[in-house]
């Protein structure tokens, strides 16, 4: 059975989308990755382009809130991983997890800035 992973970032527009897509592509036999955000925005075109170069198409992905994922109750996540700063991650809710497989909430040690379009 695949372990379910949720990646969370602030807008669910780049960092969490990239992380979920890469995990699904590289380890899809073992994991089922999803992504969500605290305050979803629009899908970041730089993220779409970067993944397209790797043969991964996320152009049809929609952004979603962490709370929508939680309310749907469709998934019990083995891992919830934040890919944002510690202060941003404080807004993340607690998710029900499979106690047998529970490892914990992972947070990055450093802030991972979201990619932006620079003119």
């Amino acid at each position: 059975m695949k372990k379910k992973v949720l990646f969370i970032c602030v807008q669910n527009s780049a960092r969490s989308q990239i992380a979920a897509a890469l995990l699904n592509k590289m380890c899809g036999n073992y994991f089922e990755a999803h992504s969500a955000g605290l305050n979803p925005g629009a899908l970041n075109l730089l993220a779409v382009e970067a993944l397209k170069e790797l043969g991964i198409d996320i152009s049809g992905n929609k952004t979603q809130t962490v709370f929508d994922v939680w309310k749907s109750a469709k998934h019990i996540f083995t891992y919830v991983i934040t890919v944002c700063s510690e202060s941003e991650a404080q807004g993340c809710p607690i998710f029900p997890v499979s106690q047998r497989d529970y490892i914990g909430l992972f947070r990055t040690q450093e802030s991972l800035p979201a990619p932006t379009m620079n003119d």
Side-chain angles (χ1 to χ4, degrees):
M1 176 181 250
K2 293 182 183 183
K3 294 186 184 298
K4 295 187 180 184
V5 179
L6 177 64
F7 289 97
I8 301 173
C9 70
V10 176
Q11 294 185 331
N12 188 221
S13 61
R15 295 170 287 188
S16 57
Q17 293 274 351
I18 291 169
L22 289 173
L23 186 62
N24 283 330
K25 173 80 171 183
M26 296 186 314
C27 301
N29 291 336
Y30 306 101
F31 297 99
E32 179 183 321
H34 300 268
S35 68
L38 301 176
N39 299 303
L43 191 59
N44 188 304
L45 296 178
L46 290 176
V48 173
E49 289 178 30
L51 288 173
K52 184 184 275 187
E53 290 179 15
L54 299 174
I56 302 170
D57 182 12
I58 65 164
S59 61
N61 286 13
K62 304 289 184 211
T63 62
Q64 60 182 344
T65 70
V66 173
F67 299 104
D68 287 341
V69 172
W70 179 75
K71 287 188 302 187
S72 75
K74 292 180 184 176
H75 304 289
I76 299 291
F77 294 100
T78 306
Y79 306 105
V80 176
I81 302 170
T82 60
V83 288
C84 50
S85 71
E86 178 96 17
S87 62
E88 292 169 331
Q90 294 303 317
C92 294
I94 302 299
F95 279 84
V97 296
S98 167
Q99 292 301 313
R100 182 176 59 97
D101 296 326
Y102 179 70
I103 297 297
L105 177 69
F106 296 95
R107 291 202 171 117
T108 58
Q109 294 297 319
E110 297 179 23
S111 179
L112 300 172
T116 57
M117 302 284 277
N118 292 326
D119 294 333

